[in-house]
């Protein structure tokens, strides 16, 4: 999601962490024109905007269609298949994920 459509008086472009005072300023800015070229896929049920159709599909499935991926070894479920895969690897297959910022291993 490139744009965070906040209910406050400003919008935040997450690509550049740039705050713009209101929607008119955002749409009029040169930067928004560049972003609009990148943004092609928007959700018809909420303010989600993405740059890939696969991301929009994943968003709709998890947020609006209620798709859940259930673990066949316990009662865990996830909104995304990648989260289920990570769960199974770490909880059932012993795969460990080291943090790249510290010595923690999850």
């Amino acid at each position: 999601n490139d744009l965070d459509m906040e209910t406050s008086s400003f919008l935040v472009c997450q690509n550049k962490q740039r705050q713009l005072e209101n929607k008119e300023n955002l749409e009029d800015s040169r930067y928004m024109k560049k972003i609009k070229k990148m943004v092609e896929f928007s959700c018809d049920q909420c303010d989600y905007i993405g740059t890939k159709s696969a991301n929009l599909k994943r968003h709709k499935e998890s947020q609006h269609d209620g798709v859940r991926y259930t673990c066949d070894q316990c009662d865990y479920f996830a909104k995304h298949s990648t989260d289920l895969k990570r769960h199974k690897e770490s909880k059932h297959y012993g795969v460990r994920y080291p943090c790249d910022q510290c010595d923690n291993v999850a």
Side-chain angles (χ1 to χ4, degrees):
N1 188 358
D2 297 311
L3 302 177
D4 184 8
M5 301 298 186
E6 296 202 13
T7 55
S8 63
S9 62
F10 62 89
L11 302 170
V12 178
C13 171
Q14 293 175 341
N15 279 352
K16 296 283 186 183
Q17 298 298 315
R18 182 173 170 181
Q19 293 181 357
L20 299 159
E21 291 181 19
N22 58 47
K23 190 173 182 175
E24 291 76 31
N25 286 350
L26 180 67
E27 291 178 351
D28 289 342
S29 72
R30 287 184 196 159
Y31 186 69
M32 184 58 194
K33 289 176 185 170
K34 183 178 178 183
I35 293 295
K36 280 185 178 180
K37 289 179 184 175
M38 294 174 14
V39 174
E40 298 177 19
F41 305 96
S42 60
C43 182
D44 58 358
Q45 298 176 30
C46 71
D47 290 337
Y48 176 85
I49 300 171
T51 57
K52 296 180 181 177
S53 63
N55 292 347
L56 176 60
K57 181 180 182 222
R58 180 178 168 172
H59 161 79
K60 283 186 166 189
E61 287 177 348
S62 66
Q63 300 301 315
H64 303 299
D65 298 341
V67 171
R68 298 294 179 263
Y69 298 88
T70 57
C71 181
D72 58 0
Q73 299 181 37
C74 69
D75 56 359
Y76 175 85
F77 66 91
K79 288 183 175 184
H80 306 288
S81 61
T82 53
D83 294 337
L84 176 61
K85 180 182 180 211
R86 191 174 316 124
H87 159 79
K88 289 173 94 171
E89 288 173 346
S90 67
K91 301 298 181 191
H92 302 300
Y93 305 139
V95 176
R96 309 301 285 166
Y97 295 96
C99 176
D100 64 354
Q101 304 295 316
C102 68
D103 294 331
N104 188 35
V105 178

